[in-house]
PDB file of all heavy atoms in Angstrom:
ATOM      1  N   LYS A 105       2.215  -5.012  18.655  1.00 97.00           N
ATOM      2  CA  LYS A 105       1.875  -5.544  19.964  1.00 97.00           C
ATOM      3  C   LYS A 105       0.877  -4.664  20.693  1.00 97.00           C
ATOM      4  O   LYS A 105       1.175  -3.496  20.941  1.00 97.00           O
ATOM      5  CB  LYS A 105       3.119  -5.710  20.802  1.00 97.00           C
ATOM      6  CG  LYS A 105       4.039  -6.815  20.302  1.00 97.00           C
ATOM      7  CD  LYS A 105       5.233  -6.919  21.254  1.00 97.00           C
ATOM      8  CE  LYS A 105       6.340  -7.728  20.599  1.00 97.00           C
ATOM      9  NZ  LYS A 105       7.658  -7.465  21.152  1.00 97.00           N
ATOM     10  N   ARG A 106      -0.302  -5.213  20.986  1.00 97.00           N
ATOM     11  CA  ARG A 106      -1.325  -4.510  21.786  1.00 97.00           C
ATOM     12  C   ARG A 106      -1.536  -3.075  21.291  1.00 97.00           C
ATOM     13  O   ARG A 106      -1.460  -2.102  22.062  1.00 97.00           O
ATOM     14  CB  ARG A 106      -0.951  -4.529  23.270  1.00 97.00           C
ATOM     15  CG  ARG A 106      -0.866  -5.952  23.820  1.00 97.00           C
ATOM     16  CD  ARG A 106      -0.463  -5.951  25.287  1.00 97.00           C
ATOM     17  NE  ARG A 106      -1.542  -5.475  26.139  1.00 97.00           N
ATOM     18  CZ  ARG A 106      -2.586  -6.195  26.571  1.00 97.00           C
ATOM     19  NH1 ARG A 106      -2.666  -7.465  26.173  1.00 97.00           N
ATOM     20  NH2 ARG A 106      -3.527  -5.726  27.269  1.00 97.00           N
ATOM     21  N   ILE A 107      -1.816  -2.979  19.981  1.00 97.00           N
ATOM     22  CA  ILE A 107      -2.023  -1.653  19.391  1.00 97.00           C
ATOM     23  C   ILE A 107      -3.475  -1.210  19.647  1.00 97.00           C
ATOM     24  O   ILE A 107      -4.414  -1.953  19.453  1.00 97.00           O
ATOM     25  CB  ILE A 107      -1.786  -1.744  17.843  1.00 97.00           C
ATOM     26  CG1 ILE A 107      -0.355  -1.939  17.544  1.00 97.00           C
ATOM     27  CG2 ILE A 107      -2.360  -0.458  17.185  1.00 97.00           C
ATOM     28  CD1 ILE A 107       0.591  -0.747  17.712  1.00 97.00           C
ATOM     29  N   ASN A 108      -3.607   0.028  20.165  1.00 96.00           N
ATOM     30  CA  ASN A 108      -4.930   0.634  20.343  1.00 96.00           C
ATOM     31  C   ASN A 108      -5.022   1.896  19.523  1.00 96.00           C
ATOM     32  O   ASN A 108      -4.062   2.668  19.479  1.00 96.00           O
ATOM     33  CB  ASN A 108      -5.150   0.991  21.832  1.00 96.00           C
ATOM     34  CG  ASN A 108      -5.358  -0.294  22.621  1.00 96.00           C
ATOM     35  OD1 ASN A 108      -6.471  -0.854  22.612  1.00 96.00           O
ATOM     36  ND2 ASN A 108      -4.335  -0.747  23.299  1.00 96.00           N
ATOM     37  N   LYS A 109      -6.185   2.113  18.926  1.00 97.00           N
ATOM     38  CA  LYS A 109      -6.412   3.340  18.181  1.00 97.00           C
ATOM     39  C   LYS A 109      -7.891   3.701  18.237  1.00 97.00           C
ATOM     40  O   LYS A 109      -8.750   2.910  17.874  1.00 97.00           O
ATOM     41  CB  LYS A 109      -6.010   3.167  16.689  1.00 97.00           C
ATOM     42  CG  LYS A 109      -6.181   4.400  15.867  1.00 97.00           C
ATOM     43  CD  LYS A 109      -5.109   5.452  16.157  1.00 97.00           C
ATOM     44  CE  LYS A 109      -5.366   6.750  15.429  1.00 97.00           C
ATOM     45  NZ  LYS A 109      -4.437   7.784  15.865  1.00 97.00           N
ATOM     46  N   SER A 110      -8.165   4.900  18.699  1.00 96.00           N
ATOM     47  CA  SER A 110      -9.577   5.357  18.657  1.00 96.00           C
ATOM     48  C   SER A 110      -9.601   6.763  18.048  1.00 96.00           C
ATOM     49  O   SER A 110      -8.608   7.448  17.952  1.00 96.00           O
ATOM     50  CB  SER A 110     -10.172   5.346  20.046  1.00 96.00           C
ATOM     51  OG  SER A 110      -9.340   6.027  20.931  1.00 96.00           O
ATOM     52  N   PHE A 111     -10.811   7.118  17.607  1.00 96.00           N
ATOM     53  CA  PHE A 111     -10.997   8.463  17.069  1.00 96.00           C
ATOM     54  C   PHE A 111     -12.087   9.169  17.860  1.00 96.00           C
ATOM     55  O   PHE A 111     -12.960   8.536  18.421  1.00 96.00           O
ATOM     56  CB  PHE A 111     -11.447   8.385  15.600  1.00 96.00           C
ATOM     57  CG  PHE A 111     -10.369   7.858  14.675  1.00 96.00           C
ATOM     58  CD1 PHE A 111     -10.431   6.565  14.193  1.00 96.00           C
ATOM     59  CD2 PHE A 111      -9.321   8.652  14.325  1.00 96.00           C
ATOM     60  CE1 PHE A 111      -9.457   6.067  13.365  1.00 96.00           C
ATOM     61  CE2 PHE A 111      -8.320   8.194  13.458  1.00 96.00           C
ATOM     62  CZ  PHE A 111      -8.386   6.877  12.997  1.00 96.00           C
ATOM     63  N   GLY A 112     -12.028  10.468  17.933  1.00 91.00           N
ATOM     64  CA  GLY A 112     -13.050  11.243  18.625  1.00 91.00           C
ATOM     65  C   GLY A 112     -12.840  11.275  20.150  1.00 91.00           C
ATOM     66  O   GLY A 112     -11.925  10.623  20.662  1.00 91.00           O
ATOM     67  N   LYS A 113     -13.669  12.050  20.819  1.00 89.00           N
ATOM     68  CA  LYS A 113     -13.522  12.198  22.271  1.00 89.00           C
ATOM     69  C   LYS A 113     -14.817  11.896  22.966  1.00 89.00           C
ATOM     70  O   LYS A 113     -15.932  12.037  22.423  1.00 89.00           O
ATOM     71  CB  LYS A 113     -13.078  13.636  22.575  1.00 89.00           C
ATOM     72  CG  LYS A 113     -11.647  13.888  22.207  1.00 89.00           C
ATOM     73  CD  LYS A 113     -11.025  15.036  22.994  1.00 89.00           C
ATOM     74  CE  LYS A 113      -9.567  15.194  22.755  1.00 89.00           C
ATOM     75  NZ  LYS A 113      -9.273  15.957  21.540  1.00 89.00           N
ATOM     76  N   LYS A 114     -14.703  11.460  24.237  1.00 85.00           N
ATOM     77  CA  LYS A 114     -15.833  11.243  25.137  1.00 85.00           C
ATOM     78  C   LYS A 114     -16.936  10.475  24.491  1.00 85.00           C
ATOM     79  O   LYS A 114     -16.712   9.358  23.984  1.00 85.00           O
ATOM     80  CB  LYS A 114     -16.322  12.579  25.687  1.00 85.00           C
ATOM     81  CG  LYS A 114     -15.259  13.199  26.619  1.00 85.00           C
ATOM     82  CD  LYS A 114     -15.801  14.392  27.375  1.00 85.00           C
ATOM     83  CE  LYS A 114     -14.681  14.939  28.237  1.00 85.00           C
ATOM     84  NZ  LYS A 114     -14.888  16.356  28.480  1.00 85.00           N
ATOM     85  N   SER A 115     -18.176  11.024  24.448  1.00 87.00           N
ATOM     86  CA  SER A 115     -19.304  10.225  23.985  1.00 87.00           C
ATOM     87  C   SER A 115     -19.231   9.834  22.487  1.00 87.00           C
ATOM     88  O   SER A 115     -19.793   8.854  22.096  1.00 87.00           O
ATOM     89  CB  SER A 115     -20.640  10.982  24.248  1.00 87.00           C
ATOM     90  OG  SER A 115     -20.549  12.187  23.511  1.00 87.00           O
ATOM     91  N   SER A 116     -18.490  10.629  21.737  1.00 89.00           N
ATOM     92  CA  SER A 116     -18.357  10.280  20.321  1.00 89.00           C
ATOM     93  C   SER A 116     -17.117   9.419  20.007  1.00 89.00           C
ATOM     94  O   SER A 116     -16.767   9.219  18.848  1.00 89.00           O
ATOM     95  CB  SER A 116     -18.347  11.552  19.490  1.00 89.00           C
ATOM     96  OG  SER A 116     -17.219  12.325  19.818  1.00 89.00           O
ATOM     97  N   LYS A 117     -16.492   8.945  21.045  1.00 91.00           N
ATOM     98  CA  LYS A 117     -15.220   8.201  20.851  1.00 91.00           C
ATOM     99  C   LYS A 117     -15.541   6.820  20.229  1.00 91.00           C
ATOM    100  O   LYS A 117     -16.443   6.109  20.636  1.00 91.00           O
ATOM    101  CB  LYS A 117     -14.559   7.994  22.249  1.00 91.00           C
ATOM    102  CG  LYS A 117     -13.198   7.323  22.178  1.00 91.00           C
ATOM    103  CD  LYS A 117     -12.526   7.543  23.532  1.00 91.00           C
ATOM    104  CE  LYS A 117     -11.232   6.742  23.623  1.00 91.00           C
ATOM    105  NZ  LYS A 117     -11.366   5.521  24.359  1.00 91.00           N
ATOM    106  N   VAL A 118     -14.785   6.514  19.184  1.00 92.00           N
ATOM    107  CA  VAL A 118     -14.890   5.186  18.550  1.00 92.00           C
ATOM    108  C   VAL A 118     -13.569   4.435  18.692  1.00 92.00           C
ATOM    109  O   VAL A 118     -12.549   4.902  18.241  1.00 92.00           O
ATOM    110  CB  VAL A 118     -15.143   5.292  17.022  1.00 92.00           C
ATOM    111  CG1 VAL A 118     -15.855   4.058  16.511  1.00 92.00           C
ATOM    112  CG2 VAL A 118     -15.785   6.590  16.608  1.00 92.00           C
ATOM    113  N   ASP A 119     -13.638   3.303  19.402  1.00 93.00           N
ATOM    114  CA  ASP A 119     -12.470   2.459  19.522  1.00 93.00           C
ATOM    115  C   ASP A 119     -12.356   1.612  18.297  1.00 93.00           C
ATOM    116  O   ASP A 119     -13.163   0.715  18.024  1.00 93.00           O
ATOM    117  CB  ASP A 119     -12.531   1.534  20.777  1.00 93.00           C
ATOM    118  CG  ASP A 119     -12.578   2.387  21.997  1.00 93.00           C
ATOM    119  OD1 ASP A 119     -11.783   3.339  22.122  1.00 93.00           O
ATOM    120  OD2 ASP A 119     -13.402   2.053  22.903  1.00 93.00           O
ATOM    121  N   VAL A 120     -11.350   1.866  17.431  1.00 95.00           N
ATOM    122  CA  VAL A 120     -11.266   1.172  16.179  1.00 95.00           C
ATOM    123  C   VAL A 120     -10.356  -0.052  16.310  1.00 95.00           C
ATOM    124  O   VAL A 120     -10.775  -1.180  15.930  1.00 95.00           O
ATOM    125  CB  VAL A 120     -10.743   2.115  15.066  1.00 95.00           C
ATOM    126  CG1 VAL A 120     -10.653   1.405  13.744  1.00 95.00           C
ATOM    127  CG2 VAL A 120     -11.658   3.332  14.922  1.00 95.00           C
TER     128      VAL A 120
END
Side-chain angles (χ1 to χ4, degrees):
K105 290 182 195 159
R106 299 179 71 83
I107 291 285
N108 288 282
K109 181 74 186 172
S110 52
F111 292 104
K113 288 205 172 82
K114 293 189 180 153
S115 61
S116 63
K117 185 165 172 261
V118 205
D119 296 317
V120 181

